[in-house]
Amino acid sequence: MTSDHLADVLDLVRVRATLSGAIAVDSRWTSRAPLCDQLKIIGVLRGHVTIRTNGAPPAALEADDVAVLHARSWLELHGGTGTGSVLEVPAPRGYVRHLGPAGSPSDIVVGGHIDLDDTGRALLTEVLPSLGHLRGSLPQAGSMRRSLLLLFEESAENSAGSSFARRQYGRLLLLEILRTYARAAELPPGWLRAQADERLRPALAAMHADPGRPWRLDDLAGTARMSRTAFAVRFRAAAGVPPHAYLTRWRMLLARCALAHDDVTVAALAARLGYGSESSFSHAFKREVGESPLRYRTRRGGAASEAGSP
């Protein structure tokens, strides 16, 4: 039984990554903009850029570095060298701007954002800092640079199909960011730290492959080839919650996704996720999400009708 947890997550949240724009500047410059994006990505292909945002200390980015921001309300970028006047650079939108005196740009910066649904916000924002700085000098950061270059080239050339290509490369960039962050950072407890633990990964794979199974602690510990006690302690330290609380949360994330996007009744969903009755599932969903499955479906615009439901 195998499972790719990062792929599971990205498939579940229906992540859509898009390139906001790319700028190439050959003088001292600054750019200021409000942030309405749920998850913002800034990558530096050339030069030195300082990022400032609310609620986090400034970050100095070098070539090949990537910054990830979430739940921030504004962003400032500062770059360039020399003693001349500072050029105000508008936030780019989907294309490359060559600004300042003619010449080779000293800074090349790529910006993108990730659109998240409810499940995406619940999963991704819990494991990422308000301003995360991933250095291009990390051994595993080469894939991030390749994705950044592809995004930049698509933006610069604007060929047929570029918008589609940018979305796909942006999705790959997010995957590489999560991989790099999981390997390089001191992760807070959560699903990303748990999946980074090779001893726990088989248990996560088992729960994801068969979320409706009535998993016992013995079963999960067995997949990790650990004793019950050692497994429970290690899992809680990594994930921040006990194994069965994690399983319940995973089931509810699957339920959110299905209610928002799939044509499935609450009763069928309850059975699929291992609940003995629609009532028990609804109570578990309301405890986790804060509203009933039917109310959630109505608010999120889910497709299915509930024949006979009040």
Side-chain angles (χ1 to χ4, degrees):
M1 182 186 301
T2 61
S3 177
D4 183 337
H5 189 37
L6 286 180
D8 290 344
V9 169
L10 294 181
D11 286 341
L12 177 63
V13 302
R14 288 170 165 82
V15 164
R16 187 178 67 170
T18 60
L19 180 70
S20 298
I23 55 176
V25 191
D26 54 4
S27 65
R28 293 176 66 205
W29 62 279
T30 187
S31 180
R32 300 178 178 88
L35 286 183
C36 57
D37 303 325
Q38 296 166 346
L39 201 64
K40 183 75 175 178
I41 298 171
I42 300 292
V44 178
L45 292 178
R46 180 187 298 177
H48 312 273
V49 176
T50 298
I51 290 183
R52 302 181 190 277
T53 189
N54 57 302
L61 273 63
E62 305 290 333
D64 300 338
D65 287 5
V66 172
V68 184
L69 304 89
H70 77 83
R72 303 300 91 194
S73 59
W74 56 267
L75 171 67
E76 288 185 359
L77 303 177
H78 304 273
T81 58
T83 58
S85 60
V86 177
L87 184 68
E88 290 280 345
V89 178
R93 284 289 177 263
Y95 54 92
V96 178
R97 294 174 181 266
H98 295 277
L99 300 168
S104 176
S106 58
D107 297 322
I108 299 179
V109 182
V110 176
H113 67 272
I114 309 296
D115 293 328
L116 302 174
D117 58 10
D118 274 2
T119 50
R121 283 191 295 272
L123 281 163
L124 294 181
T125 59
E126 112 178 3
V127 298
L128 295 173
S130 56
L131 173 55
H133 181 184
L134 297 172
R135 300 186 182 278
S137 57
L138 293 168
Q140 61 270 28
S143 295
M144 286 196 307
R145 176 173 174 78
R146 286 193 292 273
S147 294
L148 279 173
L149 282 170
L150 289 168
L151 277 168
F152 178 75
E153 289 167 359
E154 286 295 337
S155 179
E157 295 172 5
N158 198 30
S159 302
S162 282
S163 60
F164 175 83
R166 289 196 297 266
R167 287 194 297 271
Q168 302 310 309
Y169 293 145
R171 188 178 173 91
L172 282 174
L173 177 60
L174 176 61
L175 174 61
E176 297 303 339
I177 285 171
L178 290 172
R179 284 174 172 169
T180 303
Y181 186 62
R183 295 168 185 162
E186 185 63 34
L187 296 173
W191 64 264
L192 189 58
R193 180 169 163 183
Q195 77 83 34
D197 188 323
E198 292 184 1
R199 296 291 303 278
L200 299 178
R201 207 173 291 156
L204 294 173
M207 286 188 277
H208 292 174
D210 193 1
R213 178 174 168 177
W215 289 102
R216 300 179 306 157
L217 187 59
D218 284 342
D219 300 328
L220 295 171
T223 66
R225 299 183 179 180
M226 300 172 67
S227 70
R228 283 168 46 103
T229 301
F231 173 77
V233 170
R234 188 179 183 113
F235 193 99
R236 182 160 194 159
V241 294
H244 283 95
Y246 175 91
L247 176 60
T248 296
R249 189 175 185 210
W250 182 251
R251 287 170 171 171
M252 294 305 108
L253 288 167
L254 292 172
R256 286 190 193 191
C257 189
L259 289 167
H261 302 289
D262 298 342
D263 188 9
V264 60
T265 65
V266 172
L269 188 57
R272 181 194 303 173
L273 295 177
Y275 290 87
S277 68
E278 181 178 340
S279 176
S280 62
F281 165 74
S282 295
H283 281 106
F285 188 93
K286 189 169 185 177
R287 282 196 306 270
E288 180 74 21
V289 180
E291 59 186 335
S292 71
L294 290 180
R295 184 174 180 83
Y296 181 86
R297 161 166 278 157
T298 299
R299 183 172 62 82
R300 298 298 302 167
S305 62
E306 298 291 333
S309 296

Coordinates of all heavy atoms in Angstrom, one line a residue, residues 15-60:
V15 N -5.7 22.8 -5.7 CA -4.9 23.9 -5.8 C -4.8 24.5 -7.2 O -4.7 23.8 -8.1 CB -3.5 23.6 -5.3 CG1 -2.5 24.7 -5.7 CG2 -3.5 23.4 -3.8
R16 N -5.0 25.8 -7.3 CA -4.8 26.5 -8.5 C -3.7 27.6 -8.3 O -3.9 28.5 -7.6 CB -6.1 27.2 -9.1 CG -5.9 27.7 -10.5 CD -7.2 28.3 -11.0 NE -7.5 29.5 -10.2 CZ -8.5 30.3 -10.6 NH1 -9.2 30.1 -11.7 NH2 -8.8 31.4 -9.9
A17 N -2.6 27.4 -9.0 CA -1.5 28.3 -8.9 C -1.4 29.1 -10.2 O -1.4 28.6 -11.2 CB -0.2 27.6 -8.6
T18 N -1.2 30.4 -10.0 CA -1.1 31.3 -11.2 C 0.0 32.3 -11.0 O 0.3 32.7 -9.9 CB -2.4 32.1 -11.5 OG1 -2.7 32.9 -10.4 CG2 -3.6 31.1 -11.8
L19 N 0.6 32.7 -12.1 CA 1.7 33.7 -12.1 C 1.0 35.1 -12.1 O 0.2 35.4 -13.0 CB 2.6 33.6 -13.3 CG 3.7 34.6 -13.4 CD1 4.8 34.3 -12.3 CD2 4.4 34.5 -14.8
S20 N 1.3 35.9 -11.1 CA 0.8 37.3 -11.1 C 1.6 38.1 -12.1 O 1.1 38.9 -12.9 CB 1.0 37.9 -9.7 OG 0.2 37.2 -8.8
G21 N 2.9 37.9 -12.2 CA 3.7 38.7 -13.2 C 5.2 38.5 -12.9 O 5.6 37.8 -11.9
A22 N 6.0 39.1 -13.7 CA 7.5 39.1 -13.5 C 8.0 40.5 -13.9 O 7.5 41.1 -14.8 CB 8.1 38.1 -14.4
I23 N 9.0 40.9 -13.1 CA 9.6 42.2 -13.4 C 11.1 42.1 -13.6 O 11.7 41.3 -12.9 CB 9.3 43.3 -12.3 CG1 9.7 42.7 -10.9 CG2 7.8 43.6 -12.3 CD1 9.5 43.7 -9.8
A24 N 11.6 42.9 -14.5 CA 13.1 43.0 -14.7 C 13.4 44.5 -14.6 O 12.9 45.3 -15.4 CB 13.4 42.4 -16.1
V25 N 14.3 44.8 -13.6 CA 14.5 46.2 -13.3 C 16.0 46.5 -13.3 O 16.8 45.6 -12.8 CB 13.9 46.6 -11.9 CG1 14.0 48.1 -11.7 CG2 12.5 46.1 -11.8
D26 N 16.5 47.6 -13.8 CA 17.9 47.9 -13.9 C 18.3 49.1 -13.2 O 19.2 49.9 -13.6 CB 18.4 47.9 -15.3 CG 17.6 48.9 -16.2 OD1 16.7 49.6 -15.6 OD2 17.9 49.0 -17.4
S27 N 17.6 49.5 -12.1 CA 17.9 50.6 -11.2 C 17.4 50.4 -9.8 O 16.7 49.3 -9.6 CB 17.3 51.9 -11.8 OG 15.9 51.8 -11.8
R28 N 17.6 51.3 -8.9 CA 17.0 51.2 -7.6 C 15.5 51.2 -7.8 O 14.9 52.1 -8.5 CB 17.5 52.3 -6.7 CG 18.9 52.2 -6.3 CD 19.4 53.4 -5.5 NE 18.7 53.3 -4.2 CZ 18.5 54.4 -3.4 NH1 18.8 55.6 -3.9 NH2 17.9 54.3 -2.2
W29 N 14.8 50.4 -7.0 CA 13.3 50.3 -7.2 C 12.6 49.9 -6.0 O 13.2 49.3 -5.1 CB 13.0 49.4 -8.4 CG 13.4 48.0 -8.1 CD1 14.6 47.4 -8.3 CD2 12.5 46.9 -7.7 NE1 14.6 46.1 -8.0 CE2 13.3 45.7 -7.6 CE3 11.2 46.8 -7.3 CZ2 12.9 44.5 -7.1 CZ3 10.7 45.6 -6.9 CH2 11.5 44.4 -6.8
T30 N 11.3 50.1 -5.9 CA 10.5 49.7 -4.9 C 9.1 49.4 -5.5 O 8.7 50.0 -6.4 CB 10.4 50.7 -3.7 OG1 9.7 50.1 -2.6 CG2 9.6 51.9 -4.1
S31 N 8.4 48.5 -4.8 CA 7.0 48.1 -5.3 C 6.2 47.9 -4.1 O 6.6 47.2 -3.1 CB 7.0 46.9 -6.2 OG 5.7 46.5 -6.6
R32 N 5.0 48.5 -4.0 CA 4.1 48.3 -2.9 C 2.7 48.0 -3.4 O 2.3 48.5 -4.4 CB 4.0 49.6 -2.1 CG 5.3 50.1 -1.5 CD 5.1 51.5 -0.8 NE 6.4 51.9 -0.2 CZ 7.3 52.7 -0.8 NH1 7.0 53.0 -2.1 NH2 8.4 53.0 -0.2
A33 N 2.1 47.0 -2.7 CA 0.7 46.6 -3.1 C 0.0 46.0 -2.0 O 0.6 45.4 -1.1 CB 0.8 45.6 -4.3
P34 N -1.3 46.2 -1.9 CA -2.1 45.4 -0.9 C -2.1 43.9 -1.3 O -2.0 43.6 -2.5 CB -3.5 46.0 -1.0 CG -3.6 46.6 -2.4 CD -2.1 47.0 -2.8
L35 N -2.3 43.1 -0.4 CA -2.4 41.6 -0.7 C -3.8 41.1 -0.4 O -4.3 41.2 0.7 CB -1.4 40.8 0.2 CG 0.1 40.9 -0.2 CD1 0.9 40.0 0.7 CD2 0.3 40.5 -1.6
C36 N -4.4 40.6 -1.4 CA -5.7 39.9 -1.2 C -5.6 38.5 -1.5 O -6.5 37.7 -1.4 CB -6.8 40.6 -2.1 SG -6.4 40.6 -3.9
D37 N -4.4 38.0 -2.0 CA -4.2 36.6 -2.3 C -4.0 35.8 -1.0 O -3.5 36.3 0.0 CB -2.9 36.4 -3.1 CG -2.9 37.2 -4.4 OD1 -4.0 37.4 -5.0 OD2 -1.9 37.7 -4.8
Q38 N -4.5 34.6 -1.0 CA -4.5 33.8 0.2 C -3.0 33.3 0.4 O -2.6 33.1 1.5 CB -5.4 32.6 0.0 CG -6.9 33.0 0.0 CD -7.8 31.9 -0.5 OE1 -7.3 30.9 -1.0 NE2 -9.1 32.1 -0.3
L39 N -2.3 33.0 -0.7 CA -0.9 32.5 -0.5 C -0.1 33.1 -1.7 O -0.4 33.0 -2.8 CB -0.9 31.0 -0.7 CG 0.3 30.2 -0.1 CD1 0.4 30.4 1.4 CD2 0.2 28.7 -0.4
K40 N 0.9 33.9 -1.3 CA 1.7 34.6 -2.2 C 3.1 34.1 -2.3 O 3.7 33.7 -1.3 CB 1.8 36.1 -1.8 CG 2.5 37.0 -2.8 CD 1.7 37.3 -4.0 CE 2.4 38.3 -4.9 NZ 1.6 38.6 -6.1
I41 N 3.6 34.0 -3.5 CA 4.9 33.4 -3.8 C 5.8 34.5 -4.5 O 5.3 35.1 -5.5 CB 4.9 32.2 -4.6 CG1 4.1 31.0 -3.9 CG2 6.3 31.7 -5.0 CD1 3.9 29.8 -4.8
I42 N 7.0 34.8 -4.0 CA 7.9 35.7 -4.6 C 9.2 34.9 -4.8 O 9.8 34.3 -3.9 CB 8.2 36.9 -3.7 CG1 6.9 37.7 -3.5 CG2 9.3 37.8 -4.4 CD1 6.3 38.4 -4.7
G43 N 9.7 34.9 -6.1 CA 11.0 34.2 -6.4 C 11.9 35.2 -7.0 O 11.5 36.0 -7.9
V44 N 13.2 35.1 -6.7 CA 14.2 36.0 -7.2 C 15.1 35.2 -8.1 O 15.8 34.2 -7.7 CB 15.1 36.6 -6.1 CG1 16.2 37.5 -6.7 CG2 14.2 37.5 -5.2
L45 N 15.1 35.5 -9.4 CA 16.0 34.9 -10.4 C 17.4 35.6 -10.5 O 18.3 34.9 -10.9 CB 15.3 34.8 -11.7 CG 14.1 33.9 -11.8 CD1 13.5 34.0 -13.2 CD2 14.4 32.5 -11.5
R46 N 17.4 36.9 -10.2 CA 18.6 37.6 -10.3 C 18.6 38.8 -9.3 O 17.5 39.4 -9.2 CB 18.9 38.1 -11.7 CG 20.2 38.9 -11.9 CD 20.3 39.5 -13.2 NE 20.4 38.5 -14.3 CZ 20.4 38.9 -15.6 NH1 20.4 40.1 -16.0 NH2 20.4 37.9 -16.5
G47 N 19.7 39.1 -8.7 CA 19.8 40.3 -7.8 C 19.5 40.0 -6.4 O 19.6 38.9 -5.9
H48 N 19.1 41.1 -5.7 CA 18.9 41.1 -4.2 C 17.6 41.9 -4.0 O 17.5 43.0 -4.4 CB 20.1 41.7 -3.5 CG 21.4 41.2 -3.9 ND1 22.0 40.1 -3.4 CD2 22.3 41.7 -4.9 CE1 23.2 39.9 -4.0 NE2 23.4 40.9 -4.9
V49 N 16.7 41.3 -3.3 CA 15.4 41.9 -3.0 C 15.1 41.8 -1.5 O 15.2 40.7 -0.9 CB 14.3 41.3 -3.9 CG1 12.9 41.9 -3.5 CG2 14.6 41.5 -5.3
T50 N 14.6 42.9 -0.9 CA 14.2 42.9 0.5 C 12.6 42.9 0.5 O 12.0 43.7 -0.2 CB 14.7 44.1 1.3 OG1 16.1 44.0 1.3 CG2 14.2 44.0 2.7
I51 N 12.1 42.0 1.2 CA 10.6 41.9 1.4 C 10.2 42.4 2.7 O 10.7 42.0 3.7 CB 10.1 40.4 1.2 CG1 10.3 40.0 -0.3 CG2 8.7 40.3 1.6 CD1 9.8 38.6 -0.6
R52 N 9.2 43.2 2.7 CA 8.6 43.6 4.0 C 7.1 43.4 3.9 O 6.4 43.6 2.9 CB 8.8 45.1 4.2 CG 10.3 45.5 4.3 CD 10.4 47.0 4.5 NE 11.8 47.5 4.3 CZ 12.8 47.3 5.3 NH1 12.4 46.8 6.5 NH2 14.0 47.7 5.0
T53 N 6.5 43.0 5.0 CA 5.1 42.7 5.1 C 4.7 42.9 6.6 O 5.5 42.9 7.5 CB 4.7 41.4 4.6 OG1 3.3 41.3 4.5 CG2 5.2 40.2 5.4
N54 N 3.4 43.0 6.8 CA 2.9 43.1 8.2 C 3.0 41.8 9.0 O 2.8 40.7 8.4 CB 1.4 43.6 8.2 CG 0.5 42.6 7.4 OD1 0.7 42.4 6.3 ND2 -0.5 42.1 8.1
G55 N 3.4 42.0 10.2 CA 3.4 40.8 11.1 C 4.6 39.9 11.0 O 4.6 38.8 11.5
A56 N 5.7 40.3 10.3 CA 6.9 39.5 10.1 C 8.1 40.4 9.9 O 8.0 41.5 9.3 CB 6.7 38.6 8.9
P57 N 9.2 40.0 10.4 CA 10.5 40.8 10.1 C 10.8 40.8 8.6 O 10.4 39.8 7.9 CB 11.5 40.0 11.0 CG 11.0 38.6 11.1 CD 9.5 38.7 11.2
P58 N 11.5 41.8 8.2 CA 11.9 41.8 6.7 C 12.8 40.6 6.4 O 13.5 40.0 7.2 CB 12.8 43.1 6.6 CG 12.3 43.9 7.8 CD 12.0 43.0 8.9
A59 N 12.7 40.2 5.1 CA 13.5 39.1 4.6 C 14.3 39.6 3.4 O 13.8 40.2 2.5 CB 12.6 37.9 4.2
A60 N 15.6 39.3 3.4 CA 16.5 39.7 2.4 C 16.7 38.5 1.4 O 17.3 37.5 1.8 CB 17.9 40.1 2.9

